[in-house]
Amino acid sequence: MNAVTINNKQFPTLEYKNQRVVTFEMIDEVHERPNGLAKATFHRNKHRFVEGVDTYVIDYTEKYVIDTFGVDVPPRGLRVFTESGYLMIVKSFNDDLAWQVQRELVNSYFRIKQLIPERSPLKSKAEILAEMAQMHLEHE
């Protein structure tokens, strides 16, 4: 299982429909929030999320898609969030830790995959870091 370190925590790299996603539990853990806070935030703002863009529900019958990442899909399904969905969930988190974690997650988790095309030669570490720095500047 691949993982990245965000806020000194091992964070599994989950992929669904060829993009990185996160779960409610992952968001709460990495942001050091009480269990259930991300879920409550989502439910308060559910009408703002676009299914298939910001979020997906992985059906139990598709559990094999995400089993390899060490995450269980319960019988009711598992809601996951893309980068845009994650950013919408944590929009209300505005302490210093939240800002730090958001930057780390966007740059080291969600966007890193975009820097390594699947069918092209691998880039050097220096090339990847240069592209990450450029993306960071554009984001700022």
Side-chain angles (χ1 to χ4, degrees):
M1 174 177 72
N2 291 331
V4 295
T5 302
I6 306 289
N7 191 25
N8 298 315
K9 293 173 179 50
Q10 284 292 103
F11 204 74
T13 54
L14 302 182
E15 292 185 14
Y16 183 70
K17 298 200 182 249
N18 205 29
Q19 57 186 324
R20 291 204 173 164
V21 295
V22 293
T23 65
F24 289 126
E25 292 79 16
M26 292 166 72
I27 295 169
D28 286 339
E29 181 181 347
V30 77
H31 279 277
E32 298 179 3
R33 303 293 176 160
N35 259 355
L37 183 64
K39 190 174 196 172
T41 301
F42 169 73
H43 285 291
R44 274 194 316 275
N45 297 287
K46 192 173 185 174
H47 63 284
R48 300 177 193 278
F49 290 81
V50 177
E51 189 70 32
V53 174
D54 303 315
T55 184
Y56 294 98
V57 174
I58 301 174
D59 189 79
Y60 184 72
T61 60
E62 292 183 287
K63 69 180 186 168
Y64 64 90
V65 174
I66 207 157
D67 272 349
T68 58
F69 299 102
V71 174
D72 292 327
V73 176
R76 70 181 181 288
L78 178 69
R79 182 162 300 279
V80 294
F81 296 90
T82 62
E83 180 180 358
S84 62
Y86 160 76
L87 290 171
M88 291 170 71
I89 289 266
V90 299
K91 187 175 181 174
S92 64
F93 300 177
N94 60 13
D95 56 36
D96 289 340
L97 176 63
W99 285 90
Q100 172 198 328
V101 170
Q102 286 175 41
R103 177 170 284 120
E104 286 183 51
L105 262 174
V106 168
N107 293 331
S108 301
Y109 181 78
F110 286 111
R111 301 223 175 134
I112 191 74
K113 186 174 183 201
Q114 297 169 2
L115 298 178
I116 306 173
E118 290 181 32
R119 298 185 186 200
S120 66
L122 289 178
K123 295 180 181 181
S124 71
K125 197 172 193 177
E127 290 172 311
I128 292 171
L129 289 172
E131 288 183 18
M132 286 176 67
Q134 182 62 38
M135 288 172 64
H136 176 71
L137 286 173
E138 291 170 6
H139 181 72
E140 289 295 312

PDB file of all heavy atoms in Angstrom, residues 91-104:
ATOM      1  N   LYS A  91     -13.304  23.778   4.063  1.00  0.00           N
ATOM      2  CA  LYS A  91     -13.397  25.229   3.879  1.00  0.00           C
ATOM      3  C   LYS A  91     -13.605  25.953   5.221  1.00  0.00           C
ATOM      4  O   LYS A  91     -13.084  27.036   5.442  1.00  0.00           O
ATOM      5  CB  LYS A  91     -14.551  25.537   2.931  1.00  0.00           C
ATOM      6  CG  LYS A  91     -14.650  26.955   2.519  1.00  0.00           C
ATOM      7  CD  LYS A  91     -15.749  27.114   1.490  1.00  0.00           C
ATOM      8  CE  LYS A  91     -15.821  28.555   1.070  1.00  0.00           C
ATOM      9  NZ  LYS A  91     -16.742  28.777   0.005  1.00  0.00           N
ATOM     10  N   SER A  92     -14.343  25.335   6.119  1.00  0.00           N
ATOM     11  CA  SER A  92     -14.632  25.980   7.401  1.00  0.00           C
ATOM     12  C   SER A  92     -13.522  25.781   8.436  1.00  0.00           C
ATOM     13  O   SER A  92     -13.545  26.392   9.490  1.00  0.00           O
ATOM     14  CB  SER A  92     -15.950  25.463   7.960  1.00  0.00           C
ATOM     15  OG  SER A  92     -15.841  24.079   8.239  1.00  0.00           O
ATOM     16  N   PHE A  93     -12.543  24.924   8.142  1.00  0.00           N
ATOM     17  CA  PHE A  93     -11.417  24.718   9.061  1.00  0.00           C
ATOM     18  C   PHE A  93     -10.425  25.845   8.801  1.00  0.00           C
ATOM     19  O   PHE A  93      -9.801  25.881   7.751  1.00  0.00           O
ATOM     20  CB  PHE A  93     -10.709  23.393   8.810  1.00  0.00           C
ATOM     21  CG  PHE A  93     -11.544  22.147   8.967  1.00  0.00           C
ATOM     22  CD1 PHE A  93     -10.991  20.919   8.696  1.00  0.00           C
ATOM     23  CD2 PHE A  93     -12.863  22.183   9.372  1.00  0.00           C
ATOM     24  CE1 PHE A  93     -11.723  19.749   8.833  1.00  0.00           C
ATOM     25  CE2 PHE A  93     -13.607  21.022   9.512  1.00  0.00           C
ATOM     26  CZ  PHE A  93     -13.031  19.808   9.244  1.00  0.00           C
ATOM     27  N   ASN A  94     -10.262  26.765   9.722  1.00  0.00           N
ATOM     28  CA  ASN A  94      -9.407  27.910   9.416  1.00  0.00           C
ATOM     29  C   ASN A  94      -8.304  28.169  10.433  1.00  0.00           C
ATOM     30  O   ASN A  94      -7.759  29.261  10.483  1.00  0.00           O
ATOM     31  CB  ASN A  94     -10.260  29.170   9.197  1.00  0.00           C
ATOM     32  CG  ASN A  94     -11.074  29.524  10.419  1.00  0.00           C
ATOM     33  OD1 ASN A  94     -10.841  28.999  11.502  1.00  0.00           O
ATOM     34  ND2 ASN A  94     -12.032  30.411  10.253  1.00  0.00           N
ATOM     35  N   ASP A  95      -7.956  27.177  11.234  1.00  0.00           N
ATOM     36  CA  ASP A  95      -6.836  27.376  12.148  1.00  0.00           C
ATOM     37  C   ASP A  95      -5.514  27.119  11.409  1.00  0.00           C
ATOM     38  O   ASP A  95      -5.502  26.696  10.255  1.00  0.00           O
ATOM     39  CB  ASP A  95      -6.967  26.480  13.382  1.00  0.00           C
ATOM     40  CG  ASP A  95      -7.095  25.003  13.033  1.00  0.00           C
ATOM     41  OD1 ASP A  95      -6.458  24.558  12.055  1.00  0.00           O
ATOM     42  OD2 ASP A  95      -7.830  24.293  13.726  1.00  0.00           O
ATOM     43  N   ASP A  96      -4.398  27.390  12.056  1.00  0.00           N
ATOM     44  CA  ASP A  96      -3.086  27.236  11.416  1.00  0.00           C
ATOM     45  C   ASP A  96      -2.843  25.805  10.943  1.00  0.00           C
ATOM     46  O   ASP A  96      -2.305  25.593   9.857  1.00  0.00           O
ATOM     47  CB  ASP A  96      -1.967  27.656  12.372  1.00  0.00           C
ATOM     48  CG  ASP A  96      -1.931  29.162  12.606  1.00  0.00           C
ATOM     49  OD1 ASP A  96      -2.490  29.905  11.767  1.00  0.00           O
ATOM     50  OD2 ASP A  96      -1.346  29.592  13.616  1.00  0.00           O
ATOM     51  N   LEU A  97      -3.240  24.811  11.754  1.00  0.00           N
ATOM     52  CA  LEU A  97      -3.051  23.423  11.371  1.00  0.00           C
ATOM     53  C   LEU A  97      -3.825  23.110  10.094  1.00  0.00           C
ATOM     54  O   LEU A  97      -3.317  22.440   9.195  1.00  0.00           O
ATOM     55  CB  LEU A  97      -3.494  22.477  12.497  1.00  0.00           C
ATOM     56  CG  LEU A  97      -3.417  20.990  12.160  1.00  0.00           C
ATOM     57  CD1 LEU A  97      -1.981  20.564  11.885  1.00  0.00           C
ATOM     58  CD2 LEU A  97      -4.021  20.162  13.293  1.00  0.00           C
ATOM     59  N   ALA A  98      -5.042  23.599   9.976  1.00  0.00           N
ATOM     60  CA  ALA A  98      -5.856  23.342   8.792  1.00  0.00           C
ATOM     61  C   ALA A  98      -5.186  23.889   7.533  1.00  0.00           C
ATOM     62  O   ALA A  98      -5.162  23.217   6.495  1.00  0.00           O
ATOM     63  CB  ALA A  98      -7.248  23.952   8.950  1.00  0.00           C
ATOM     64  N   TRP A  99      -4.641  25.080   7.619  1.00  0.00           N
ATOM     65  CA  TRP A  99      -3.958  25.671   6.461  1.00  0.00           C
ATOM     66  C   TRP A  99      -2.751  24.833   6.065  1.00  0.00           C
ATOM     67  O   TRP A  99      -2.510  24.571   4.889  1.00  0.00           O
ATOM     68  CB  TRP A  99      -3.529  27.101   6.770  1.00  0.00           C
ATOM     69  CG  TRP A  99      -4.684  28.051   6.741  1.00  0.00           C
ATOM     70  CD1 TRP A  99      -5.491  28.389   7.794  1.00  0.00           C
ATOM     71  CD2 TRP A  99      -5.193  28.753   5.606  1.00  0.00           C
ATOM     72  NE1 TRP A  99      -6.455  29.273   7.377  1.00  0.00           N
ATOM     73  CE2 TRP A  99      -6.296  29.520   6.035  1.00  0.00           C
ATOM     74  CE3 TRP A  99      -4.816  28.828   4.269  1.00  0.00           C
ATOM     75  CZ2 TRP A  99      -7.018  30.333   5.179  1.00  0.00           C
ATOM     76  CZ3 TRP A  99      -5.533  29.644   3.416  1.00  0.00           C
ATOM     77  CH2 TRP A  99      -6.629  30.383   3.877  1.00  0.00           C
ATOM     78  N   GLN A 100      -1.989  24.387   7.048  1.00  0.00           N
ATOM     79  CA  GLN A 100      -0.801  23.568   6.786  1.00  0.00           C
ATOM     80  C   GLN A 100      -1.192  22.236   6.147  1.00  0.00           C
ATOM     81  O   GLN A 100      -0.619  21.834   5.140  1.00  0.00           O
ATOM     82  CB  GLN A 100      -0.046  23.317   8.092  1.00  0.00           C
ATOM     83  CG  GLN A 100       1.092  22.311   7.963  1.00  0.00           C
ATOM     84  CD  GLN A 100       1.519  21.755   9.304  1.00  0.00           C
ATOM     85  OE1 GLN A 100       1.444  22.435  10.306  1.00  0.00           O
ATOM     86  NE2 GLN A 100       1.954  20.512   9.319  1.00  0.00           N
ATOM     87  N   VAL A 101      -2.185  21.561   6.737  1.00  0.00           N
ATOM     88  CA  VAL A 101      -2.606  20.253   6.232  1.00  0.00           C
ATOM     89  C   VAL A 101      -3.189  20.377   4.831  1.00  0.00           C
ATOM     90  O   VAL A 101      -2.904  19.555   3.954  1.00  0.00           O
ATOM     91  CB  VAL A 101      -3.601  19.590   7.213  1.00  0.00           C
ATOM     92  CG1 VAL A 101      -4.242  18.362   6.595  1.00  0.00           C
ATOM     93  CG2 VAL A 101      -2.893  19.216   8.508  1.00  0.00           C
ATOM     94  N   GLN A 102      -3.994  21.406   4.595  1.00  0.00           N
ATOM     95  CA  GLN A 102      -4.563  21.591   3.256  1.00  0.00           C
ATOM     96  C   GLN A 102      -3.458  21.738   2.217  1.00  0.00           C
ATOM     97  O   GLN A 102      -3.509  21.120   1.152  1.00  0.00           O
ATOM     98  CB  GLN A 102      -5.468  22.825   3.223  1.00  0.00           C
ATOM     99  CG  GLN A 102      -6.788  22.605   3.926  1.00  0.00           C
ATOM    100  CD  GLN A 102      -7.608  23.880   3.981  1.00  0.00           C
ATOM    101  OE1 GLN A 102      -7.666  24.625   3.024  1.00  0.00           O
ATOM    102  NE2 GLN A 102      -8.230  24.132   5.121  1.00  0.00           N
ATOM    103  N   ARG A 103      -2.471  22.543   2.496  1.00  0.00           N
ATOM    104  CA  ARG A 103      -1.363  22.734   1.552  1.00  0.00           C
ATOM    105  C   ARG A 103      -0.649  21.412   1.310  1.00  0.00           C
ATOM    106  O   ARG A 103      -0.358  21.038   0.178  1.00  0.00           O
ATOM    107  CB  ARG A 103      -0.395  23.786   2.063  1.00  0.00           C
ATOM    108  CG  ARG A 103       0.813  23.955   1.133  1.00  0.00           C
ATOM    109  CD  ARG A 103       1.668  25.149   1.475  1.00  0.00           C
ATOM    110  NE  ARG A 103       0.968  26.345   1.015  1.00  0.00           N
ATOM    111  CZ  ARG A 103       0.582  27.347   1.805  1.00  0.00           C
ATOM    112  NH1 ARG A 103       0.828  27.312   3.100  1.00  0.00           N
ATOM    113  NH2 ARG A 103      -0.032  28.385   1.313  1.00  0.00           N
ATOM    114  N   GLU A 104      -0.342  20.670   2.385  1.00  0.00           N
ATOM    115  CA  GLU A 104       0.351  19.390   2.242  1.00  0.00           C
ATOM    116  C   GLU A 104      -0.475  18.399   1.432  1.00  0.00           C
ATOM    117  O   GLU A 104       0.055  17.712   0.559  1.00  0.00           O
ATOM    118  CB  GLU A 104       0.656  18.789   3.617  1.00  0.00           C
ATOM    119  CG  GLU A 104       1.780  19.466   4.364  1.00  0.00           C
ATOM    120  CD  GLU A 104       2.070  18.770   5.683  1.00  0.00           C
ATOM    121  OE1 GLU A 104       2.254  17.534   5.689  1.00  0.00           O
ATOM    122  OE2 GLU A 104       2.100  19.464   6.713  1.00  0.00           O
TER     123      GLU A 104
END
